[in-house]
Amino acid sequence: MSLTPQHQDQPVLTNYKPGDAAGEGVTPPELVLVLDFGAQYTQLIARRIRECHVYCEILPFDTSLDVIKTRGAVGLILSGGPSSVYDDDAPQIDKAIYDLGLPILGICYGMQAMAHDLGGKVSAATLKEFGKTQLSVQDPTVLFEGLNTDLVCWMSHGDTVEEAPPGFTVSASTESCPVAAMIDTNRRFYAVQFHPEVVHTPWGTEVIRGFVEKVCGTRGLWKMESFIDQQVRLIREQVGEHQVVCGLSGGIDSCTVAALVHKAIGDQLVCIFVNHGLLRKGEAEDVQRKFAAAFNINLITVDAEERFLRRLAGVIDPEQKRSIIGEEFVRVFEEESCKLKNATFLAQGTLYPDVIESGMGKAAKIKTHHNVALPEDMNFKLVEPLRFLFKDEVRAVAEELGLPTDMVWRQPFPGPGLAIRITGEVNKERLDLLRSADWIIIDEIKRAGLYRKVWQSFAVLIPTKSVGVMGDQRTYAYPIVLRAVTSEDAMTADWARLPYEVLDRISNRIVNEVPGVNRVVLDITSKPPATIEWE
Ligand code: XMP
């Protein structure tokens, strides 16, 4: 059962098919597969496993037995999900999976499905458990070794396993859940009702580690150095003598792709940096300078500010802004890449969350995320070396490749840039004002040593004026909203509790140094129900 309502609104960019491997010709040395029953936090299970240096992929629950067999996994995890095993259309795995001889760990719905399939009893709980719950451990074998016998875990379920199936013993329970963990050491089947993958179960990674290391026998062979060597070889094989174009935004994903592809094919890579005039103060120059200093890469810079602002004039609808920016970006990119003679490939910084979504996403569309997506008739073949990585792994690759530290740890910045941080019409005057305020926020956050502690910190401009008084004079000017959030992956976020002194300095500096602003307000909304960006 899901934990909190939230959405995953990453762009869908790839032609991923469930069952795709980490790269053609690559068999990961140790693979754990997660079969997904539709939980919103399945990605977190994969991340926790990768934190144990074990490669992990997510496949839909109904993946065929043949695909599972050919992938050569050393263990399987059955994820949580929103269903009840008694629903008419309850998702079910092929029962033959239990006869493969592979270790299996069931989590939440995964545990209930396992109990139901193997002869246990699942029932609708009289008391549903949601949130932090006290857990008593009766048998620490594998799952709870080295942990206390009384623990706080995170629960989120309606149904409960009332009786474990034959062959299982109960290893933990809660007040209203008699079977909160169960194990069958002979068949190497393990299951937990709580969510070990979420941060609210602070020792949860140890449960996952116990399963992956002690039961599946992994040795932690998934390392970034070997990933880089492997991808360099694959990119060379894929690309041959052709040219590769890469849209560089200055963000960590595109910079890492560019550095990786450059390592593989050197001068055959041409990067295109489009300055759409919606960047932060000094950003265009900064990206070019830093990138040129770190790597000797062919870089085409296109100054397209005028044409973007012309098309945005008078537009106030957020989705319309996004679609205009996305379309214009494609036009510029298309024009530039057409000038290249041998450019057959396009390198993109698609990450694993995008891939998972394109394979099995059912989420509602909240915003159209702008990214480099090109028209089909351009016939580019895609090079996507990061498509099986999570953001933190991309940062590890970037560090290994020698990208400058501030590039590696740059806060995320959306493709449509400052246009979606101005509610209402976007024009040069408003952009300049926002840029100045934004620069002060970043500067103060950095001075306070908070830049890497918050996920994002930035200014938003609401073009509605309010009255103030400065130097005995009445003012009538714009407010600036300070938005700062903490997050693990931008899927959910909390507003950052910035120290009062930092807030005070930011506020003082903005009203004193930015003409046209007479008020600073703080956004104290988490995601959900708000989103991180204002549009
Ligand atoms: P929201 O506002 O949906 O943002 O909570 C989640 C994360 O995604 C970033 N974001 C974007 N990134 N193109 C991007 O490349 C976009 O159109 C876009 N919209 C939002 C946002 O900054 C946050 O990190």
Side-chain angles (χ1 to χ4, degrees):
M1 182 159 280
S2 58
L3 296 175
T4 50
Q6 53 102 53
H7 64 273
Q8 161 59 285
D9 49 357
Q10 299 290 329
V12 174
L13 296 169
T14 64
N15 49 2
Y16 168 75
K17 294 182 298 305
D20 272 4
E24 234 168 280
V26 176
T27 310
E30 297 171 332
L31 168 70
V32 170
L33 287 178
V34 178
L35 298 182
D36 181 27
F37 284 116
Q40 294 179 339
Y41 283 79
T42 300
Q43 284 187 41
L44 289 182
I45 303 175
R47 287 180 54 149
R48 297 292 168 255
I49 294 169
R50 296 219 194 153
E51 278 164 24
C52 303
H53 297 290
V54 174
Y55 185 68
C56 174
E57 281 180 24
I58 301 170
L59 295 178
F61 70 89
D62 55 358
T63 302
S64 76
L65 194 67
D66 283 346
V67 169
I68 293 174
K69 276 195 208 156
T70 47
R71 295 307 320 280
V74 296
L76 299 177
I77 295 192
L78 310 183
S79 84
S83 310
S84 160
V85 289
Y86 293 115
D87 289 347
D88 286 342
D89 55 354
Q92 290 178 351
I93 57 166
D94 185 337
K95 306 281 180 299
I97 288 175
Y98 295 110
D99 299 324
L100 287 174
L102 287 174
I104 302 180
L105 171 67
I107 295 176
C108 196
Y109 177 84
M111 165 166 169
Q112 293 157 12
M114 209 166 167
H116 185 64
D117 290 345
L118 299 174
K121 192 168 165 204
V122 180
S123 62
T126 35
L127 256 184
K128 291 178 197 260
E129 285 177 313
F130 183 86
K132 287 187 178 166
T133 308
Q134 201 67 38
L135 182 84
S136 304
V137 175
Q138 282 105 48
D139 174 6
T141 306
V142 175
L143 300 179
F144 305 101
E145 269 166 25
L147 299 173
N148 291 337
T149 48
D150 285 313
L151 294 161
V152 174
C153 67
W154 184 272
M155 286 282 195
S156 177
H157 65 113
D159 287 359
T160 291
V161 176
E162 215 173 278
E163 275 171 34
F168 280 80
T169 55
V170 177
S171 43
S173 54
T174 71
E175 207 176 299
S176 49
C177 180
V179 189
M182 59 181 198
I183 63 174
D184 176 345
T185 44
N186 285 335
R187 284 184 289 178
R188 300 190 294 170
F189 292 165
Y190 297 78
V192 292
Q193 181 58 67
F194 58 87
H195 286 270
E197 72 276 22
V198 304
V199 286
H200 313 287
T201 304
W203 40 273
T205 304
E206 293 315 306
V207 171
I208 290 174
R209 188 188 300 281
F211 174 73
V212 167
E213 290 179 0
K214 290 181 207 138
V215 184
C216 305
T218 58
R219 286 173 295 151
L221 303 174
W222 169 248
K223 299 267 164 61
M224 285 311 141
E225 309 91 270
S226 42
F227 170 83
I228 293 171
D229 292 344
Q230 191 186 66
Q231 288 303 324
V232 163
R233 182 169 58 76
L234 287 170
I235 294 165
R236 282 186 190 142
E237 278 170 22
Q238 187 190 2
V239 168
E241 302 295 314
H242 294 266
Q243 269 182 318
V244 177
V245 282
C246 176
L248 199 69
S249 70
I252 178 71
D253 305 340
S254 65
C255 287
T256 306
V257 168
L260 190 55
V261 175
H262 185 252
K263 187 176 168 77
I265 56 164
D267 275 353
Q268 283 165 255
L269 171 71
V270 180
C271 290
I272 302 178
F273 177 71
V274 180
N275 181 359
H276 50 20
L278 308 166
L279 298 172
R280 289 165 294 187
K281 192 162 152 182
E283 189 162 13
E285 302 75 28
D286 198 50
V287 170
Q288 292 168 66
R289 189 170 29 82
K290 288 213 181 93
F291 216 77
F295 305 97
N296 193 16
I297 289 181
N298 293 324
L299 179 63
I300 299 171
T301 302
V302 189
D303 184 357
E305 178 176 20
E306 216 187 299
R307 63 191 276 182
F308 274 85
L309 294 196
R310 206 180 322 121
R311 286 216 50 203
L312 286 169
V315 178
I316 54 169
D317 177 66
E319 280 298 295
Q320 209 187 335
K321 284 185 195 171
R322 282 172 180 273
S323 90
I324 288 172
I325 295 165
E327 191 192 319
E328 202 58 23
F329 192 92
V330 169
R331 293 253 167 80
V332 176
F333 202 80
E334 197 175 15
E335 283 164 25
E336 292 305 317
S337 49
C338 283
K339 293 179 195 160
L340 302 168
K341 291 206 177 63
N342 197 14
T344 322
F345 291 89
L346 171 73
Q348 288 206 131
T350 311
L351 302 194
Y352 198 39
D354 315 334
V355 172
I356 297 168
E357 280 306 299
S358 65
M360 46 195 140
K362 301 175 204 81
K365 180 174 132 183
I366 308 295
K367 298 174 185 179
T368 312
H369 275 208
H370 157 68
N371 214 313
V372 183
L374 292 175
E376 276 174 18
D377 60 3
M378 281 199 65
N379 271 334
F380 270 121
K381 291 181 197 143
L382 294 181
V383 178
E384 297 179 307
L386 310 181
R387 67 200 296 263
F388 285 87
L389 299 190
F390 290 110
K391 194 83 162 184
D392 45 353
E393 293 173 318
V394 174
R395 289 205 161 112
V397 170
E399 279 188 323
E400 193 67 34
L401 286 168
L403 261 73
T405 310
D406 53 351
M407 209 174 243
V408 174
W409 292 102
R410 199 183 86 140
Q411 291 179 0
F413 185 64
L418 299 180
I420 56 166
R421 293 181 179 172
I422 297 174
T423 58
E425 191 190 346
V426 177
N427 58 37
K428 182 91 166 72
E429 182 210 342
R430 289 177 180 180
L431 283 164
D432 285 343
L433 188 149
L434 181 60
R435 265 190 272 270
S436 304
D438 188 77
W439 192 85
I440 292 171
I441 291 174
I442 297 293
D443 187 44
E444 287 298 335
I445 292 282
K446 281 185 176 163
R447 279 172 199 238
L450 296 170
Y451 186 77
R452 274 168 66 167
K453 293 198 176 127
V454 294
W455 174 266
Q456 274 170 292
S457 45
F458 56 87
V460 177
L461 173 65
I462 317 174
T464 307
K465 292 186 176 179
S466 76
V467 175
V469 54
M470 270 177 111
D472 295 334
Q473 294 289 327
R474 178 187 193 269
T475 58
Y476 189 53
Y478 293 134
I480 282 290
V481 179
L482 165 57
R483 179 78 165 139
V485 297
T486 53
S487 177
E488 256 202 55
D489 45 24
M491 287 157 68
T492 60
D494 197 4
W495 59 279
R497 273 55 168 180
L498 298 177
Y500 282 164
E501 314 80 68
V502 178
L503 294 175
D504 190 42
R505 272 198 300 276
I506 289 173
S507 168
N508 265 318
R509 283 192 59 193
I510 290 178
V511 286
N512 282 305
E513 295 174 30
V514 186
V517 177
N518 65 352
R519 195 178 287 271
V520 175
V521 300
L522 180 63
D523 181 347
I524 51 166
T525 332
S526 61
K527 172 184 176 178
T531 54
I532 296 176
E533 305 290 347
W534 270 48
E535 290 196 338

